[in-house]
Amino acid sequence: MSLRNKIGPRTRPDQPAPQSRSTPPAADSPWRPARVALTAFFAIDGFLFAAWVVRIPDVRSQVSASHSTLGLALLCLSIGAVLTMPLIGRLCLRYGSRPVTVGSLALLSLAVPLPAHAHSVTALGGVLLLFGAGYGGANVAMNSAAVDLVAQLRRPVMPSFHAGYSFGGLVGTGVSGLLAGPLSTAWALALSAALGVAVTAGAGVVLLRSPAATAVTPARANRAAERSEDAGAGSGPVRAHTRLLVLLLGLTALCTAYGEGAIADWTTLHLTDDVHASSVVAATGYGAYAFAMAGGRVGGTWLSIRLGQTRLMLFGGLTAGVGMLIAALAPAVPVAICGFVLVGLGLANLFPLAIARAGAAGGPQGVAFASSLGYGGMLIGPVVIGFLADAAGLPLALTTVTVTATVAALLPLAVGRRGREQRTAGDGQRMSGGG
């Protein structure tokens, strides 16, 4: 009897046990309460962020910020996120990703109204640090919970969670745009925060009461590697390949987040200042981008199966690069909005697929590392674009998104090649080990 048959699939800690007592069988409905609740968390996260994005021009006028000083203030949001992510990753490993998700969304909801009460760039930067801590923590915790649930369901549904984020952003953009005239920034963000607290409380109860899949922890992964090593399959090369794969996927997420952050932070300003759109039309432009991204993510699972994840990421990155050139350099509002639609379609599945693949390769630590590296793109994006905008104009600064989107399109090719090399090496080791 081979070693694989002796161990059996239920003793392999690197994969979810199909019929264990702690994991419901795959025949259960894929729309179980945990998935619905987690989708609601992604959606309210997108809603709250969009509510803030639509009000950026008002807050900029309130604090009298230039492009470069606003970029520095927005940098604080990214700093808060990136500094928090490693801590959130450790908290997820210790306490579970679901409780940390609830706590992070509660912090984000409470931080949303604060920018409306800042009256200097320094004060705005301070409150955006707290905003970023909640936003970054929520994204790491939600994605970790989603990776576990994807493994539990045994269905490639990660894009559907991020579709919830995009639809939440779309609704947030529409509601905030409609309320831009009747309500002040303070009231609009306060109402958004109240909705965030309500959704967090309701979805949190459902998520915490739902049966959770057994997560892959570093300790369990190490024990699996040790058993493989004892069986004759050297674990050193496998671990090195895994670290490299997670690094490449994290760089893909970084380039993608650079583009997403640029769209979130600068779309409304570009449309109002450079293309001379009204505030309502500018909000519609970001909404068109969010709608395109949501639509792309709804079809992400089907497309990833049909085309393969590597091809989908390649085509997506190239589409986003072309769309950003159109959006940045277009002289008319309709053409610019069409460009943002292409960017949304192109970027739609890059980040969720990169995070999902990092989680499959490295477990929760892979998610935390790739997310931290990914949101580093949001850290450098506001500063780069802000200073380039002051030096050469915002349209030219936005074309840097084309460069990063192209890099994000090409990196998955290296990931796929490394993955094939790892599988080939593993097969060779098993054959030489006499399995």
Side-chain angles (χ1 to χ4, degrees), residues 19-164:
Q19 300 294 335
S20 68
R21 290 188 178 92
S22 61
T23 304
D28 286 356
S29 170
W31 284 105
R32 60 185 58 175
R35 183 179 176 187
V36 175
L38 192 55
T39 302
F41 274 114
F42 274 88
I44 195 60
D45 186 53
F47 181 93
L48 294 175
F49 193 73
W52 147 249
V53 166
V54 170
R55 292 291 181 161
I56 287 178
D58 296 330
V59 174
R60 182 191 65 167
S61 300
Q62 177 180 296
V63 299
S64 303
S66 65
H67 282 125
S68 57
T69 55
L70 179 63
L72 290 174
L74 294 174
L75 172 64
C76 293
L77 190 154
S78 298
I79 290 175
V82 172
L83 290 180
T84 305
M85 284 176 175
L87 172 63
I88 293 298
R90 291 191 292 270
L91 291 176
C92 287
L93 289 173
R94 183 166 184 175
Y95 300 106
S97 56
R98 294 184 178 186
V100 179
T101 296
V102 176
S104 297
L105 260 299
L107 175 61
L108 177 61
S109 299
L110 296 176
V112 164
L114 299 181
H117 301 283
H119 297 285
S120 68
V121 175
T122 302
L124 179 61
V127 299
L128 288 181
L129 279 173
L130 184 61
F131 188 106
Y135 184 70
N139 277 272
V140 170
M142 289 188 308
N143 279 293
S144 297
V147 167
D148 292 340
L149 192 55
V150 167
Q152 184 181 13
L153 295 173
R154 295 185 292 281
R155 293 163 58 97
V157 296
M158 178 64 90
S160 70
F161 293 118
H162 288 258

Side-chain angles (χ1 to χ4, degrees), residues 183-198:
L183 289 182
S184 65
T185 301
W187 272 107
L189 293 182
L191 291 176
S192 298
L195 178 62
V197 171

Side-chain angles (χ1 to χ4, degrees), residues 383-401:
V383 176
V384 171
I385 292 178
F387 280 100
L388 282 178
D390 278 348
L394 185 55
L396 183 61
L398 288 174
T399 60
T400 58
V401 176

Side-chain angles (χ1 to χ4, degrees), residues 40-368:
F41 274 114
F42 274 88
I44 195 60
D45 186 53
F47 181 93
L48 294 175
F49 193 73
W52 147 249
V53 166
V54 170
R55 292 291 181 161
I56 287 178
D58 296 330
V59 174
R60 182 191 65 167
S61 300
Q62 177 180 296
V63 299
S64 303
S66 65
H67 282 125
S68 57
T69 55
L70 179 63
L72 290 174
L74 294 174
L75 172 64
C76 293
L77 190 154
S78 298
I79 290 175
V82 172
L83 290 180
T84 305
M85 284 176 175
L87 172 63
I88 293 298
R90 291 191 292 270
L91 291 176
C92 287
L93 289 173
R94 183 166 184 175
Y95 300 106
S97 56
R98 294 184 178 186
V100 179
T101 296
V102 176
S104 297
L105 260 299
L107 175 61
L108 177 61
S109 299
L110 296 176
V112 164
L114 299 181
H117 301 283
H119 297 285
S120 68
V121 175
T122 302
L124 179 61
V127 299
L128 288 181
L129 279 173
L130 184 61
F131 188 106
Y135 184 70
N139 277 272
V140 170
M142 289 188 308
N143 279 293
S144 297
V147 167
D148 292 340
L149 192 55
V150 167
Q152 184 181 13
L153 295 173
R154 295 185 292 281
R155 293 163 58 97
V157 296
M158 178 64 90
S160 70
F161 293 118
H162 288 258
Y165 175 90
S166 295
F167 277 117
L170 178 62
V171 174
T173 300
V175 172
S176 299
L178 291 175
L179 297 179
L183 289 182
S184 65
T185 301
W187 272 107
L189 293 182
L191 291 176
S192 298
L195 178 62
V197 171
V199 172
T200 299
V205 171
V206 176
L207 187 64
L208 294 177
R209 290 181 177 178
S210 300
T214 302
V216 180
T217 63
R220 298 179 65 210
N222 290 337
R223 288 195 296 270
E226 289 169 1
R227 282 196 291 270
S228 297
E229 187 174 5
D230 293 338
S235 61
V238 175
R239 290 175 179 173
H241 274 295
T242 298
R243 287 193 295 268
L244 182 57
L245 286 174
V246 172
L247 175 62
L248 291 174
L249 291 165
L251 290 174
T252 303
L254 184 151
C255 293
T256 306
Y258 181 98
E260 292 189 28
I263 299 298
D265 292 342
W266 300 103
T267 293
T268 53
L269 293 176
H270 171 60
L271 289 174
T272 54
D273 293 356
D274 301 315
V275 198
H276 309 295
S278 66
S279 59
V280 175
V281 173
T284 303
Y286 181 78
Y289 157 81
F291 183 81
M293 177 168 280
R297 287 173 171 174
V298 167
T301 298
W302 181 83
L303 287 173
S304 64
I305 295 174
R306 184 82 173 182
L307 300 176
Q309 294 183 3
T310 300
R311 287 182 180 176
L312 177 57
M313 297 172 80
L314 173 65
F315 295 154
L318 295 178
T319 300
V322 173
M324 193 68 249
L325 281 178
I326 296 173
L329 305 178
V333 173
V335 179
I337 292 178
C338 288
F340 285 123
V341 169
L342 288 177
V343 177
L345 290 172
L347 295 181
N349 296 296
L350 281 171
F351 193 89
L353 289 179
I355 297 301
R357 295 173 74 174
Q365 286 187 321
V367 174

